[in-house]
Structure formats: C-alpha cells, structure tokens
Amino acid sequence: MTEKKRRKPKQDRAQATVDAILEASFQILERDGLSKLTTSRIAERAGVSIGTLYQYFRDKDAILAAMGQRQSDAMREKITAIVLDAPETGGVRAIVRALMHGLQGSAETRMVLSDALFRTGGGAEVSRQHLTFLESISGRSELDFALGKESSFILTHAVIYLLRAAAAEPELALDPDVLEDELVHLMESYIGNLAARAANYGA
C-alpha cells in the first residue's frame, strides 16, 4: 500500500471533522445568534470533544473566519462561472445579485462572517479572491479589455466594498432593489467604458 493510500482515510476523517464543526457553528449562529456561539456548544452539536475542536481551530474567531472563507470561495466560484458563461455586460446584474443575495444564512449571519473574515484576514482575503478570479478567467480573449491590473482591481473590489459599507450602515435604510440597480449601472458603465477604450486603441 502506498503512503498516499495509507494517509487518505485519515485526511478524509479530518475533513469530515472540520465540516461537522463548521456546519454546527452555522446552525447555532443561525438559530441562536453570535452571543450563544461558544466552542463548547459547537463541539457538542458537532459530536466531537472540545479537545478535538481545538486541534483544528484555536478559538471561536478562527471558526468564524473559516466559515467566512468557505462562503467567500463559493461566491468567487459562482461569479467566475457567471463571467465565463456571459462575459458581456448582461452578466453584470447576475454578478451583483449573487454578491447581494448568494451567501448562505440570515443578514446577521452574513455580516458576522464578513466581519470575522475581514478582522482576521483584512484586505488579504479580497486580494486572494481577486487573484484567484483573474487566474480562472485568464486567456479568455473576449475579456482582454478587462484584464489590466488596475481595471481588474476596480471590477473585483468596487461592489464588494460598497456592499460591505451598506451593510455597516443600516441606519441609511437603503432599498435593496434600488441599490442593486445602482450597482449594476455603475459596473455596466465602467465595463462599457473599458470596451470603448479597447476598441479605440485597436482602431
């Protein structure tokens, strides 16, 4: 038996344990809120000992950050699929809508996970997703106009940070439907400008 085959069951069990911890954390967060989320309750719901939990996560904040990163990865994969399927500006609304509504959980849960992710990783997480996204769409000739370093930065960061600002200022009582329209107008205008400039340069 090779070393790889010997190690796989252990790796599978470890991944299953991590999955159970993250799922239990999500269920508690959704049902009872952040104030009731403790490592002892997470371990009990996940069916693992508290010692096992601490083998994988140093504290509750690390669990929240891992949950946030998992949702961030899923969102990036979803947006990449949208871009590859519909690179024209018609896909912009689908992307904005995915960013606004595509994450799992209540509005409170999404904000908690976003806060945890930014608190532990800061802008590094957005940068990681930015670079992974660019790698996913590289080589697509129809997207060449959007692949400049600076324009790509605008495309992948603008909506994320505007939505985070909106979530952080609930007192503004922004209408989600109107906000979606405005974000779509913003991105379509920018992409249209990029395409026009690319056409002019190529003329």
Side-chain angles (χ1 to χ4, degrees), residues 113-187:
L113 297 183
S114 176
D115 283 343
L117 195 58
F118 274 78
R119 186 168 59 251
T120 58
E125 173 60 20
V126 178
S127 296
R128 183 180 73 84
Q129 297 292 2
H130 166 74
L131 293 173
T132 304
F133 171 75
L134 292 184
E135 182 179 354
S136 298
I137 65 173
S138 64
R140 298 288 297 230
S141 59
E142 65 270 35
L143 298 173
D144 281 348
F145 70 86
L147 292 182
K149 183 169 62 176
E150 291 75 19
S151 59
S152 296
F153 173 85
I154 298 296
L155 286 168
T156 58
H157 285 63
V159 174
I160 292 173
Y161 279 102
L162 285 170
L163 287 174
R164 181 166 170 77
E169 301 178 64
E171 66 276 8
L172 296 179
L174 299 175
D175 184 308
D177 293 333
V178 176
L179 180 60
E180 178 185 311
D181 286 341
E182 293 304 314
L183 290 171
V184 170
H185 294 326
L186 174 69
M187 298 310 292

Side-chain angles (χ1 to χ4, degrees), residues 75 78-79 82-83 89-103 155 158-160 162-163 176-188 191:
M75 182 58 61
K78 184 174 183 178
I79 290 173
I82 292 171
V83 170
T89 57
V92 171
R93 185 172 295 277
I95 292 172
V96 171
R97 191 165 290 168
L99 285 168
M100 292 182 71
H101 310 294
L103 294 178
L155 286 168
V159 174
I160 292 173
L162 285 170
L163 287 174
D177 293 333
V178 176
L179 180 60
E180 178 185 311
D181 286 341
E182 293 304 314
L183 290 171
V184 170
H185 294 326
L186 174 69
M187 298 310 292
E188 285 182 343
I191 292 172

Side-chain angles (χ1 to χ4, degrees), residues 28-38 60-61 64 108-109 112-113 115 119:
I28 295 170
L29 193 59
E30 278 285 275
R31 188 185 66 186
D32 302 320
L34 182 61
S35 63
K36 301 294 185 180
L37 187 71
T38 65
K60 181 175 73 175
D61 286 342
L64 290 171
E108 180 183 357
T109 293
V112 166
L113 297 183
D115 283 343
R119 186 168 59 251

